[in-house]
């Protein structure tokens, strides 16, 4: 799958847009807020403003999506009361969110073999909370390793987000 095909499919469904009318900017990074809101939009979860995060406004452009993602168990805070919405989302955080979203879609991310990550040279840098989620995403074709690495702490680009989200929707037979 190409980034272009994924972006086109997501844009046609109103899930993602370009940074401008003529430019998607696939190499730009995403924030935790942007990623959470995109996942919520892709699954049609609506908007919620009942969440415990003091650093997110329910009235903000992405607040309702973050609230929906929180309500449905897709996202957690950095602490009990903070979300860090402007922090760049990493590949392991994206995998954790997408694995939780996969459960809502009827998939079984908890059955993934986290031990299989050991074949990647950087698997030790994957946080313990994310290991099963990263394994699920790799095994499901949602996350594509690069050069024998899973790059769990690397920022997710807009292009990677499109490919990951599109792959999840295909795996869940929602596209």
């Amino acid at each position: 799958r190409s980034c272009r095909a994924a972006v086109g499919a997501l844009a046609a469904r109103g899930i993602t847009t370009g940074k401008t009318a003529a430019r998607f900017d696939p190499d730009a990074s995403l924030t935790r807020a942007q990623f959470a809101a995109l996942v919520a939009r892709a699954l049609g979860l609506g908007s919620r403003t009942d969440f415990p995060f003091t650093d997110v406004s329910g009235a903000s452009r992405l607040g309702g999506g973050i609230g929906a993602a929180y309500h449905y168990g897709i996202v957690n805070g950095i602490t009990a009361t903070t979300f860090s919405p402007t922090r760049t989302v990493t590949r392991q955080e994206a995998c954790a969110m997408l694995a939780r979203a996969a459960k809502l879609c009827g998939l079984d991310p908890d059955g993934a073999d986290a031990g299989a990550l050991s074949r990647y040279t950087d698997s030790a840098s994957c946080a313990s909370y994310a290991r099963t989620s990263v394994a699920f995403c790799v095994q499901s074709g949602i996350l594509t390793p690069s050069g024998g690495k899973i790059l769990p702490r690397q920022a997710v680009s807009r292009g990677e987000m499109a490919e990951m989200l599109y792959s999840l929707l295909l795996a869940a037979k929602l596209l």
Side-chain angles (χ1 to χ4, degrees):
R1 282 171 270 227
S2 74
C3 173
R4 184 176 297 262
V7 170
L10 296 178
R13 290 162 178 81
I15 296 169
T16 192
T17 60
K19 283 189 126 179
T20 68
R23 183 166 181 220
F24 182 73
D25 199 6
D27 297 325
S29 61
L30 286 163
T31 64
R32 287 174 43 84
Q34 290 167 327
F35 197 88
L38 283 165
V39 174
R41 190 176 314 131
L43 297 183
L45 301 181
S47 180
R48 305 272 310 227
T49 56
D50 53 332
F51 49 80
F53 308 128
T54 58
D55 58 349
V56 175
S57 166
S60 70
R61 183 174 64 86
L62 301 174
I66 294 167
Y70 174 77
H71 176 76
Y72 285 97
I74 293 170
V75 299
N76 296 316
I78 299 300
T79 69
T81 59
T82 59
F83 184 70
S84 292
T86 59
R87 197 178 85 198
T88 302
V89 70
T90 65
R91 288 166 61 102
Q92 67 186 0
E93 287 173 322
C95 287
M97 289 183 208
L98 291 175
R100 292 180 200 125
K103 284 184 186 180
L104 293 176
C105 299
L107 299 175
D108 180 23
D110 296 331
D113 177 14
L117 293 180
S118 64
R119 71 175 176 214
Y120 300 102
T121 59
D122 61 346
S123 66
S125 66
C126 185
S128 60
Y129 82 87
R131 292 186 70 75
T132 301
S133 298
V134 171
F136 166 76
C137 288
V138 169
Q139 292 162 10
S140 301
I142 293 168
L143 178 70
T144 304
S146 176
K149 296 182 177 189
I150 51 175
L151 308 168
R153 296 181 187 269
Q154 180 175 297
V156 171
S157 71
R158 288 173 50 86
E160 286 175 311
M161 168 281 301
E163 291 170 353
M164 293 172 82
L165 198 49
Y166 180 67
S167 295
L168 171 64
L169 295 174
L170 285 176
K173 297 183 177 18
L174 294 175
L175 288 180

